């Protein structure tokens, strides 16, 4: 079940699970930009989802949910940093609107890209994910037990499908592939 950005939401358990699946990973990465601790970030994101669930009646659209989750996670990260006197960076930088906006845009781009990758057929998805992990075609072929030429072909197919899926955002494919 996908959630359309502009549809009116009724937050039941199935919708909550869909929202959790869609945002959990991106929110964890988002929190990690503040905390530099994956385990702690996951805890804060889970707490953010609990807060959302407890207030679910107040949310009737996708954008309100998304905004609430990112804002809650950001605020909880900043509170944790203040309460535990973590000074990894100047706190004023982390509190700035610019840092928040930049981090939010980056995480949203990652979320969109990885959702597109997840929609690929199994073997094609495996090839792309291994490629993003920095493996060469020969290493991917060895790991998956397929010919190196098959890896090359599957990559070409994946790039084509990703361009179709992300046609309005096709530049993301190249940003992610070049940044790895």
């Amino acid at each position: 079940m996908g959630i359309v950005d502009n549809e009116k939401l009724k937050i039941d358990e199935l919708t909550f699970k869909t929202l959790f699946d869609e945002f959990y990973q991106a929110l964890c990465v988002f929190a990690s930009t503040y905390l530099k601790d994956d385990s702690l970030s996951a805890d804060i994101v889970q707490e953010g989802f609990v807060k959302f669930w407890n207030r679910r009646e107040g949310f009737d659209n996708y954008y309100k949910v998304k905004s609430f989750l990112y804002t809650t996670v950001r605020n909880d990260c900043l509170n944790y940093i203040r309460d535990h006197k973590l000074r990894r960076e100047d706190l004023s930088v982390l509190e700035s609107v610019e840092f928040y906006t930049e981090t939010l845009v980056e995480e949203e781009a990652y979320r969109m890209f990885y959702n597109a990758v997840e929609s690929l057929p199994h073997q094609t998805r495996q090839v792309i994910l291994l490629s993003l992990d920095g493996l060469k075609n020969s290493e991917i072929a060895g790991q998956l037990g397929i010919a190196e030429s098959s890896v090359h072909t599957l990559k070409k197919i994946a790039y084509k499908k990703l361009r179709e899926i992300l046609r309005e955002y096709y530049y993301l494919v190249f940003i992610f592939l070049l940044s790895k």
Side-chain angles (χ1 to χ4, degrees):
M1 170 188 155
I3 295 179
V4 179
D5 292 350
N6 61 358
E7 78 181 26
K8 187 160 176 68
L9 291 180
K10 178 182 181 296
I11 310 295
D12 56 15
E13 289 181 21
L14 183 58
T15 303
F16 179 83
K17 181 185 179 336
T18 301
L19 290 165
F20 185 88
D21 291 345
E22 182 171 345
F23 288 109
Y24 178 77
Q25 195 63 39
L27 284 166
C28 286
V29 174
F30 178 73
S32 287
T33 61
Y34 287 92
L35 301 172
K36 311 292 189 229
D37 181 324
D38 292 342
S39 178
L40 178 59
S41 297
D43 290 345
I44 284 183
V45 170
Q46 289 173 11
E47 289 172 18
F49 274 101
V50 169
K51 289 177 184 178
F52 165 65
W53 178 254
N54 291 334
R55 299 179 185 172
R56 67 189 176 276
E57 284 82 24
F59 296 93
D60 60 357
N61 79 44
Y62 177 86
Y63 293 112
K64 287 180 184 177
V65 172
K66 186 173 165 182
S67 177
F68 175 83
L69 289 170
Y70 276 99
T71 302
T72 298
V73 168
R74 174 186 184 255
N75 291 342
D76 288 351
C77 287
L78 292 173
N79 289 339
Y80 186 90
I81 290 167
R82 267 190 231 102
D83 294 348
H84 294 86
K85 297 179 180 24
L86 297 178
R87 297 288 179 175
R88 297 186 194 211
E89 296 179 42
D90 182 8
L91 192 56
S92 65
V93 171
L94 295 177
E95 292 175 323
S96 72
V97 172
E98 293 82 14
F99 182 83
Y100 175 68
T101 304
E102 182 179 305
T103 305
L104 183 60
V105 167
E106 184 178 317
E107 294 317 312
E108 201 45 27
Y110 276 110
R111 187 181 67 80
M112 289 168 35
F113 178 75
Y114 281 102
N115 282 345
V117 169
E118 285 299 313
S119 73
L120 295 172
H122 179 71
Q123 193 168 38
T124 306
R125 180 175 60 244
Q126 284 183 305
V127 166
I128 288 299
L129 290 173
L130 291 171
S131 177
L132 289 170
D133 284 342
L135 274 65
K136 297 178 181 167
N137 285 0
S138 58
E139 296 169 320
I140 295 169
Q143 198 165 351
L144 297 179
I146 59 177
E148 193 172 337
S149 61
S150 295
V151 171
H152 180 73
T153 302
L154 288 169
K155 274 185 169 181
K156 284 175 67 172
I157 291 168
Y159 295 149
K160 181 180 180 190
K161 287 185 182 208
L162 288 172
R163 275 193 302 273
E164 290 169 11
I165 295 167
L166 297 167
R167 67 182 147 269
E168 294 177 28
Y169 312 100
Y170 69 92
Y171 57 89
L172 290 177
V173 174
F174 300 108
I175 290 170
F176 287 104
L177 295 178
L178 293 175
S179 69
K180 293 291 180 174

